[in-house]
Amino acid sequence: MKTSPRYPSWPAWPAAVALWLATGPAAHAHIGAGEAGGFASGFKHPWSGLDHIAAMVAVGLWGAQLGMPAIWLLPVTFPLIMAVGGFMGLVGIPLPGVEIGIGASALLLGLMVAAEVKPKKLIWPALLVGVFGLFHGHAHGTELPPGENGLLYSMGFVIATGTLHACGIGIGEVRRWTAGRTVLRVCGGVIALVGVYFLWEAAHPEAPEASSPPAAMEMPTPKK
Amino acid sequence: MKSPLRQWIRASLGLVVALLGATRAEAHVIASGMGSFYDGIGHFFLSPDDVLAVLALILLAGMRGSAASTRLLFTLPVAWAGAGVIGLLTTAPALSGQIPSACSILLLGLLVASDLPLATWIVMALALIAGGLHGYFNGQAMREAGVNPALIQLAGVGFTLFVLVLHLTDWIQKARRPWMRIVLRVMGSWLGAAGLLLLGWSLRTRGG
């Protein structure tokens, strides 16, 4: 078989891209104080909440359980629809029940993994994952810090999401063993419990006194 | 021979460490002190919006086969440099290229992700439009920055594009395993998602 020693192997290219991003490439000049901190800031964002992590890992786990082509189709669907949600959040299009949707995503996706649900048509898992991606994206979109350069932030954000899916797919590879399948189902159960917790939190928001200490610490103005 | 898994793990670790260090942005038009030609090369690599659009075009052409790849090799640098000259010579006030950049990355990323069997002429038309847009805004940025001689910088950008297209399309066509095509499509979906987020970001910034 003919081989080509002239070109770097596959893993060399992600490393080259990483080097390019790490050495401070900047889309545009004019980055000011308080604006997005670039790739690292975007990369950290999806890791900032357990509800997001649980749902995204569950997508990977479910994809692994479903096998080809869901194993890559679901993780492709999620970031794309999540970006639609992010777009909506960024331009100010409201989406009701975002927090409930995020909690429900962890619960339902966890249950799918725990029950090892395998729909006959791939459209159903893709639809479910897509709908939940919309909620996650919207939450991130409304939270994104303002800035003139969103590209590095967006790339970091999307790659982090993909990394979480890849973690799920990696863990999901234990499905090859009988005991591994049980472990996967237990993981799904744990994710569903996390979803229940966040659903409960979304349905019972904390009292204002507890959630905003600075307001609680305000001293009343003495009446004269 | 090294295990592919080990290579992937090593590269992934490098990726994470390097990416976490990427925090700040610098100027778009640079002066390296090495001459205008090298400034042009630096200018391209310090513009992620340009790099990602070119990457998406390369993925698209590479996935469509050798005919599209060979034509992209000449179409893209010529369209880019030609539109760059127009951007340099025009006296119209400089426009922000962020929204067109976001749209091009979004569209090209989606086309890569969907792996549609596009005809070669469609890929070339996309290369002309995207390359022309990015090249025009490059030319404008050079004019605004008072780059002299800007034509040499544009030649540096064109040379960079030629080399990138030559090597990367060849590499993509050698990637014949099915899972490699999946990796390319996943990369396309990420590019599309980043383009859409950038578009939302640009609209929000413009709207105040």
Side-chain angles (χ1 to χ4, degrees):
Chain A
M1 190 180 144
K2 189 184 171 187
T3 56
S4 174
R6 291 178 300 153
Y7 298 96
S9 56
W10 270 82
W13 291 108
V17 173
L19 188 66
W20 166 67
L21 287 163
T23 48
H28 306 275
H30 336 302
I31 301 297
E35 293 173 349
F39 189 92
S41 174
F43 192 82
K44 287 172 197 163
H45 207 259
W47 301 82
S48 59
L50 183 62
D51 45 353
H52 293 294
I53 294 174
M56 291 175 199
V57 170
V59 170
L61 291 177
W62 198 23
Q65 276 184 336
L66 292 171
M68 289 292 268
I71 196 166
W72 66 270
L73 194 65
L74 296 189
V76 164
T77 306
F78 193 93
L80 276 175
I81 307 295
M82 192 186 70
V84 174
F87 178 85
M88 288 168 64
L90 280 163
V91 298
I93 299 170
L95 184 68
V98 170
E99 291 304 321
I100 290 174
I102 290 171
S105 71
L107 171 61
L108 284 180
L109 290 170
L111 284 176
M112 295 295 151
V113 176
E116 219 172 328
V117 176
K118 292 185 177 175
K120 284 181 182 171
K121 289 188 178 175
L122 195 56
I123 185 76
W124 298 116
L127 204 63
L128 190 67
V129 163
V131 167
F132 288 139
L134 206 61
F135 288 107
H136 285 265
H138 195 278
H140 288 306
T142 49
E143 290 164 9
L144 288 181
E148 290 179 38
N149 172 19
L151 188 54
L152 285 179
Y153 189 96
S154 303
M155 279 304 291
F157 180 69
V158 171
I159 291 176
T161 305
T163 306
L164 282 168
H165 293 326
C167 289
I169 292 171
I171 296 167
E173 284 304 301
V174 300
R175 77 187 193 281
R176 295 169 192 276
W177 298 280
T178 313
R181 286 178 61 186
T182 311
V183 169
L184 268 190
R185 296 181 73 165
V186 171
C187 286
V190 171
I191 289 171
L193 286 176
V194 170
V196 169
Y197 170 75
F198 282 105
L199 257 180
W200 176 264
E201 275 218 326
H204 300 87
E206 288 177 19
E209 290 80 21
S211 62
S212 54
M217 288 167 70
E218 274 178 10
M219 296 295 289
T221 311
K223 287 179 183 174
K224 290 183 181 175
Chain B
M1 188 182 159
K2 289 176 185 172
S3 143
L5 180 64
R6 190 174 295 175
Q7 286 185 42
W8 270 102
I9 291 169
R10 195 177 296 166
S12 305
L13 284 175
L15 182 79
V16 169
V17 170
L19 294 182
L20 289 176
T23 53
R24 65 183 286 260
E26 287 154 14
H28 191 64
V29 177
I30 65 159
S32 65
M34 294 169 68
S36 293
F37 188 81
Y38 294 97
D39 288 351
I41 297 173
H43 170 76
F44 175 78
F45 283 110
L46 290 176
S47 311
D49 47 347
D50 291 345
V51 175
L52 293 182
V54 167
L55 178 65
L57 265 174
I58 288 173
L59 291 175
L60 190 64
M63 288 167 78
R64 296 276 64 84
S66 61
S69 302
T70 310
R71 286 176 195 175
L72 186 73
L73 192 58
F74 300 100
T75 309
L76 184 61
V78 169
W80 198 291
V85 171
I86 295 170
L88 272 175
L89 298 178
T90 185
T91 52
L95 302 168
S96 167
Q98 208 169 35
I99 290 177
S101 292
C103 291
S104 64
I105 296 168
L106 167 63
L107 176 68
L108 294 169
L110 288 179
L111 287 173
V112 173
S114 60
D115 199 10
L116 286 175
L118 297 176
T120 303
W121 71 267
I122 297 176
V123 178
M124 290 311 105
L126 289 167
L128 276 172
I129 295 167
L133 271 174
H134 284 260
Y136 178 79
F137 289 116
N138 268 196
Q140 267 198 343
M142 287 175 187
R143 190 194 73 211
E144 289 289 305
V147 170
N148 192 25
L151 283 177
I152 306 291
Q153 268 211 22
L154 275 175
V157 177
F159 171 79
T160 309
L161 293 175
F162 185 86
V163 172
L164 280 177
V165 174
L166 179 69
H167 285 263
L168 293 181
T169 51
D170 182 80
W171 165 71
I172 290 166
Q173 285 173 63
K174 285 195 171 97
R176 296 199 184 281
R177 290 178 189 162
W179 67 266
M180 287 180 176
R181 201 161 187 91
I182 290 171
V183 169
L184 297 176
R185 293 181 71 173
V186 170
M187 283 171 75
S189 75
W190 289 3
L191 286 169
L196 186 56
L197 285 171
L198 178 63
L199 181 62
W201 190 299
S202 309
L203 290 173
R204 185 168 80 169
T205 307
R206 203 172 67 160

